[in-house]
Amino acid sequence: MRKEKKSGGCFGWFIVLVILGVVALALGLTLRKKFHHGGGDAPVPGPPGAVTKKYGDALKIALQFFDVQKSGKLVDNEIPWRGDSALQDGKEANVDLSKGMYDAGDHMKFGFPMAYTATVLAWAILEYGDQMNAANQLEPAKDSLKWITDYLVNAHPEPNVLYIQVGDPDVDHKCWDRPEDMSEKRPLIQVNASTPGTEVAAETAAAMASASLVFKSTDSTYSSLLLKHAKELFTFANEHQGSYSQNIPQVQTYYNSTGYGDELLWAASWLYHATRDHTYLDYVTGSNGETYANWGSPTWFSWDDKLPGIQVLLSRVSFFDSKVAMNSESLKKYRKTAEAVMCGLLPKSPTATLSRTRNGLIWISDWNALQHPIASAFLAVIYSDYMLTSRTQKLHCDSDTFSASDLRKFAISQANYVLGDNPMKMSYLVGYGDKYSQYVHHRGASIPTDSNTNCSNGWRWLDSDEPNPNVATGALVGGPFLNESYVDSRNNSMQTEPSTYNSAVIVGLLSGLVTTSSVVTSFM
């Protein structure tokens, strides 16, 4: 009897243990659901983890294109085929415009896309500086940013004067020579109170404001200088409104602006983050938001259209500063539109864009096709990390829901396409992998350093059947056609010409993928 009684007791304890096990499993699943956010998301990470070699290598390569594009007297130059150039830029106006970067494969300095390049690069550093540092690429990124902002500071000699272009594209494009050998005249174009250019002044304000945050902890004097210029430029842009494309018709050929409202909101958004002055937040959430924000209508982030960037940047306030966002219907609209942008990117979303190649690359334009998918992927990885850091479980796309990991997977798909996972089996990032463009449309890369060329006799290098003698390391070329073909020809500038603003977005994307880490909840 005692034996039976003992057996019954063991069985009872067995039942209790089973029940406790079930309860523990249920609790574990509940916690997993709460903290993993579904869809296989990992818990919110802390400091950067191990560097993913593929993306770390690609990031190092991508950053080198900024060195390829530098103008002026070079410092610690590591590009063997580059030297000092354009040392007299700005001299006719007694300003030093020798620094900055050449826009693409030519020798023009266009202020509008150059300022956008700086803003995006600064944003990437602010979100992913720790990740860049883990890959030993933070200092090169900051150095490239400062090379541009030094130029922008000098281009703004008075509160209501901004030099926005160095060189005449009609003259410049009649030459095929190395920047070190340039001899053609390089006239200046400025915007001012009587000839305003709101979009370029506001974009430059955004660049200065975002960069002031980058340098705040390491060079407070320089940071304050940048912020001073940012405030002055925003005031200039806002109080003297007018499109630079309309007031200076010659700029329409290359960087025609479709409107300046987005740049005003973009600049004010960055100034709010740089100052925490609610005057700037009121600017974007008040009547200007109603006028310019185009809430509910997703667009494509680019040098001309800042709206998707604004929507994601202001979502940061909703994610990480609930007290400010709680009573703002406008901030809710910005975030709702950012969600619509994200839903459009996810291939399985009911609102997914149909603008893709067969193999999944976002594809909007024949010219410079990679700009939009890489810029979109950059925004997607940022938004994914906002969700993960804030422990936001779901993104609602009509009747379906998606997770932060879904956005990250999309961003990875676009990055991997660029790095070689495409029908051409080539890397569109020059210098990465075994196969990449050999005929990049880039003057300096195409001409041997020992060649004695001038404006007119260098054209033989454009037409040469030989691969470029110099590698434009880090160049992100224009990219494939819709049918995913790519014609590697120096004369095919539509597909083979790189640009600095393409480099900014690929650097941002790779920095977000190079390792896992939570983003900072405040830039201050």
Side-chain angles (χ1 to χ4, degrees):
M1 291 292 295
R2 288 179 183 173
K3 195 172 183 179
E4 291 176 3
K5 203 168 187 179
K6 186 175 180 182
S7 298
C10 288
F11 183 74
W13 280 111
F14 176 74
I15 295 297
V16 170
L17 290 173
V18 169
I19 291 172
L20 288 174
V22 170
V23 170
L25 179 62
L27 180 60
L29 289 173
T30 300
L31 290 173
R32 178 180 175 83
K33 182 176 181 181
K34 179 177 180 180
F35 292 109
H36 285 238
H37 306 167
D41 286 347
V44 176
V51 171
T52 302
K53 187 177 187 305
K54 174 169 72 172
Y55 300 129
D57 291 347
L59 175 61
K60 181 178 181 179
I61 288 168
L63 278 163
Q64 290 179 60
F65 189 63
F66 292 128
D67 292 330
V68 169
Q69 295 302 95
K70 283 180 179 177
S71 167
K73 187 169 183 60
L74 303 184
V75 179
D76 298 326
N77 177 35
E78 295 185 359
I79 307 299
W81 49 273
R82 280 300 328 275
D84 299 344
S85 64
L87 298 179
Q88 302 302 310
D89 279 3
K91 187 176 182 180
E92 66 183 70
N94 294 316
V95 292
D96 181 4
L97 300 179
S98 61
K99 279 190 172 182
M101 293 185 186
Y102 300 117
D103 175 63
D106 55 14
H107 302 149
M108 290 297 301
K109 296 179 187 175
F110 293 112
F112 192 23
M114 194 194 304
Y116 167 76
T117 298
T119 310
V120 172
L121 182 56
W123 192 7
I125 294 170
L126 290 170
E127 300 286 6
Y128 298 117
D130 287 346
Q131 288 89 326
M132 289 180 175
N133 195 46
N136 298 315
Q137 297 306 310
L138 178 58
E139 290 309 313
K142 290 172 68 175
D143 173 73
S144 294
L145 175 62
K146 191 174 185 295
W147 200 267
I148 298 177
T149 53
D150 283 352
Y151 167 88
L152 296 176
V153 166
N154 289 351
H156 182 227
E158 301 173 33
N160 293 343
V161 174
L162 176 67
Y163 288 95
I164 65 163
Q165 184 173 301
V166 180
D168 180 340
D170 291 335
V171 173
D172 182 84
H173 290 178
K174 291 177 181 176
C175 298
W176 193 268
D177 52 1
R178 300 173 67 246
E180 295 80 2
D181 299 326
M182 281 191 298
S183 59
E184 58 269 20
K185 291 184 178 179
R186 293 175 61 77
L188 309 177
I189 293 179
Q190 67 168 240
V191 293
N192 50 49
S194 59
T195 308
T198 296
E199 52 276 269
V200 64
E203 181 59 63
T204 308
M208 300 285 209
S210 55
S212 76
L213 287 165
V214 169
F215 296 106
K216 189 170 185 177
S217 63
T218 57
D219 191 341
S220 60
T221 301
Y222 188 64
S223 172
S224 297
L225 175 66
L226 293 175
L227 189 56
K228 172 181 176 290
H229 281 280
K231 291 177 178 179
E232 289 180 353
L233 282 162
F234 179 73
T235 299
F236 168 43
N238 188 47
E239 292 184 354
H240 300 277
Q241 293 190 17
S243 171
Y244 96 130
S245 290
Q246 294 178 8
N247 292 328
I248 309 172
Q250 59 263 45
V251 305
Q252 295 176 13
T253 303
Y254 295 97
Y255 289 102
N256 182 47
S257 170
T258 55
Y260 55 73
D262 55 328
E263 279 82 22
L264 286 171
L265 298 178
W266 181 236
S269 299
W270 276 113
L271 278 162
Y272 171 69
H273 281 287
T275 64
R276 291 298 176 183
D277 183 341
H278 280 255
T279 302
Y280 296 113
L281 189 63
D282 292 342
Y283 188 95
V284 299
T285 57
S287 60
N288 295 292
E290 295 286 349
T291 302
Y292 299 126
N294 202 22
W295 290 314
S297 300
T299 54
W300 298 103
F301 190 41
S302 71
W303 60 263
D304 182 42
D305 188 350
K306 314 306 171 3
L307 287 178
I310 297 163
Q311 290 144 9
V312 170
L313 182 62
L314 290 178
S315 293
R316 169 175 265 282
V317 181
S318 298
F319 277 113
F320 303 126
D321 196 345
S322 57
K323 289 183 180 179
V324 171
M326 187 181 302
N327 298 316
S328 175
E329 289 301 316
S330 293
L331 285 176
K332 292 176 183 176
K333 291 178 182 177
Y334 279 112
R335 180 164 169 180
K336 191 70 176 176
T337 309
E339 290 176 350
V341 171
M342 297 302 123
C343 290
L345 300 177
L346 293 170
K348 294 183 180 180
S349 165
T351 57
T353 180
L354 298 178
S355 300
R356 303 175 198 266
T357 66
R358 177 173 294 183
N359 286 275
L361 180 73
I362 295 290
W363 197 92
I364 307 301
S365 170
D366 280 325
W367 278 95
N368 195 17
L370 288 176
Q371 176 185 191
H372 296 103
I374 300 308
S376 298
F378 173 53
L379 296 185
V381 77
I382 290 176
Y383 202 86
S384 167
D385 287 337
Y386 288 175
M387 290 179 64
L388 199 60
T389 304
S390 65
R391 300 178 184 268
T392 301
Q393 297 185 28
K394 295 178 181 179
L395 169 67
H396 294 274
C397 301
D398 285 357
S399 58
D400 289 352
T401 58
F402 297 88
S403 68
S405 68
D406 292 315
L407 285 172
R408 191 174 183 87
K409 287 174 185 174
F410 161 76
I412 288 171
S413 74
Q414 304 302 286
N416 287 350
Y417 190 105
V418 166
L419 298 180
D421 186 11
N422 57 65
M424 296 296 295
K425 302 300 179 186
M426 66 173 288
S427 168
Y428 290 109
L429 182 67
V430 175
Y432 181 86
D434 297 326
K435 181 182 177 183
Y436 48 82
S437 179
Q438 301 296 309
Y439 296 86
V440 179
H441 182 92
H442 189 279
R443 291 182 203 168
S446 72
I447 302 174
T449 55
D450 60 357
S451 173
N452 184 19
T453 58
N454 55 40
C455 172
S456 59
N457 71 4
W459 291 102
R460 68 185 186 276
W461 301 111
L462 171 67
D463 298 326
S464 170
D465 293 332
E466 296 295 320
N468 286 351
N470 308 309
V471 179
T473 305
L476 182 67
V477 295
F481 288 134
L482 180 57
N483 66 4
E484 301 185 281
S485 65
Y486 179 83
V487 179
D488 194 13
S489 168
R490 207 173 288 116
N491 276 296
N492 179 19
S493 58
M494 183 182 294
Q495 290 189 291
T496 65
E497 187 168 21
S499 67
T500 52
Y501 50 89
N502 273 11
S503 291
V505 289
I506 191 65
V507 163
L509 173 58
L510 292 170
S511 298
L513 298 179
V514 74
T515 182
T516 56
S517 174
S518 53
V519 293
V520 295
T521 56
S522 173
F523 293 144
M524 296 292 281

